[in-house]
Amino acid sequence: MSNPSSTNSYTVKWGIISTGLIAESFVKDIQLNPAERGTTDIAHKITAVASRSLDKAQSFIEQHIVDKDTVTPYGTYQDLFDDPNVQCVYIGTPHPQHYENVKDALNAGKNVLCEKPFTISAKQATELFALAKQKELFVMEAVWTRFQPIVEPAQKVVFGGEIGEIKRIDSRFDKDFGDLPHEHRLLNPSLAGGALFDLGPYSFLWPTLFLFQHPKNGRTPPTDISPSIIFDPRTGVDGITSYIMKYEKLGAQATVSCSISTPTAPNSIVVTGTLGTLTLHGISCYPNSFTIHLFATDHSPEKSTTRNYPITSGRGMHWQADAVGRCLRDGKLEEEKMKWEETEMQQKVFDEVRIGGGWNWSLTE
């Protein structure tokens, strides 16, 4: 379906660099009719696609873009960055390329939405945000889960005290990818393969949403990071990574883990309070419901209530694109739901996890 725009909507002109699976999902979602998700103020138009070869860019356009005749293919990323008809660049390249890709796009005067992880170190992230501020350009890490309809209602339960004072959160994202070839990006050290960079941003997300953003926490970063890493024997990337974090102001703890060799659990995020629990159901990057379970007391029996928030239009990546559009329309450099501060905090934690867990940093830097 095409993406019609009304006379009152603001249209974002997108350039897409990379032609992999995540880019396919993104372009599919932003081409859906915005009205199907209740969006009337923002529309999206893809104006250019770039790959390492012109043929791949052209093939991507033919296979995945509806209004293909209005899209320009490029065989280099720089050619796309230089295209005056591109307003915002979506970056879905391999992890270690993000830093250079974002830097080149900003230096060409383009706004940027870059896939997670934004960079492979906190130092790189800090440098890119400083550059964006200097050039007065929008940039955001693409953690699409933050913009899904389930997030705000779940936060309201936790922040409002419905399950009492928060004491801990268990947040996991596990997936068994099976017998991958050693050159696959998930097993390739030179592509920053492994669990932490690929799945880790999602398992880190939920402690951020429920504990870091908790009003009583005052946006205080976690401390006392205690990691444990099991390295995959095939190529040495991190296969299972876990760590504990403390949120001192809340008196709360987060246990976070991710794995590329463990089957996905149905209830991977559990928030525990003094009065009960909140459990999110479904895969960590797009849960579709949550259950509030209140413990029994002297005055009332235990009680469970489930609330559903299904994603009925696409995969759910369009909400973050809509948020980008509103920021561009309103002249904002960062989005309130995905602030630069939180991306930098994540990368600092990941730095500590890698160093403390014995990761050979020379593999990815």
Side-chain angles (χ1 to χ4, degrees), residues 228-249:
S228 174
I229 297 177
I230 296 177
F231 295 97
D232 192 294
R234 291 171 289 186
T235 61
V237 299
D238 69 304
I240 304 174
T241 294
S242 302
Y243 52 98
I244 300 173
M245 303 185 292
K246 181 194 294 185
Y247 291 80
E248 188 72 44
K249 286 189 175 181

Side-chain angles (χ1 to χ4, degrees), residues 248-354:
E248 188 72 44
K249 286 189 175 181
L250 297 176
Q253 188 180 78
T255 301
V256 186
S257 64
C258 50
S259 170
I260 58 172
S261 59
T262 307
T264 304
N267 303 317
S268 298
I269 302 102
V270 181
V271 185
T272 302
T274 53
L275 300 180
T277 62
L278 180 142
T279 302
L280 280 81
H281 309 296
I283 194 167
S284 182
C285 57
Y286 48 97
N288 52 30
S289 64
F290 63 76
T291 295
I292 304 164
H293 179 82
L294 299 180
F295 303 140
T297 69
D298 293 339
H299 308 290
S300 61
E302 65 179 356
K303 178 183 177 182
S304 293
T305 305
T306 298
R307 302 175 188 174
N308 297 302
Y309 299 88
I311 296 174
T312 57
S313 174
R315 193 181 180 195
M317 304 185 81
H318 36 54
W319 285 301
Q320 71 172 352
D322 294 343
V324 171
R326 294 183 186 102
C327 287
L328 298 181
R329 178 195 65 194
D330 299 340
K332 296 180 179 179
L333 303 189
E334 59 180 314
E335 222 290 334
E336 284 298 313
K337 292 184 179 180
M338 185 67 253
K339 294 179 73 67
W340 297 351
E341 168 196 15
E342 295 184 14
T343 292
E344 288 184 274
M345 178 179 66
Q346 171 187 275
Q347 296 310 127
K348 288 176 181 177
V349 169
F350 284 8
D351 286 352
E352 286 196 48
V353 169
R354 287 185 285 97

Side-chain angles (χ1 to χ4, degrees), residues 3-31:
N3 179 353
S5 59
S6 72
T7 56
N8 296 321
S9 65
Y10 179 91
T11 300
V12 184
K13 296 180 179 179
W14 290 95
I16 310 297
I17 74 164
S18 82
T19 53
L21 289 175
I22 193 68
E24 289 179 19
S25 295
F26 181 76
V27 301
K28 180 180 179 180
D29 269 18
I30 66 172
Q31 291 179 98

Side-chain angles (χ1 to χ4, degrees), residues 9 31 50 65 69 71 73 83 87 89 109 118 128 146 155 184 247 267 283 304 310 322 327 351 353:
S9 65
Q31 291 179 98
I65 298 181
D69 293 338
V71 183
D83 185 340
Q87 179 188 16
V89 178
F118 186 66
L128 292 176
R146 286 176 176 256
Q155 285 185 311
H184 191 279
Y247 291 80
N267 303 317
I283 194 167
S304 293
D322 294 343
C327 287
D351 286 352
V353 169

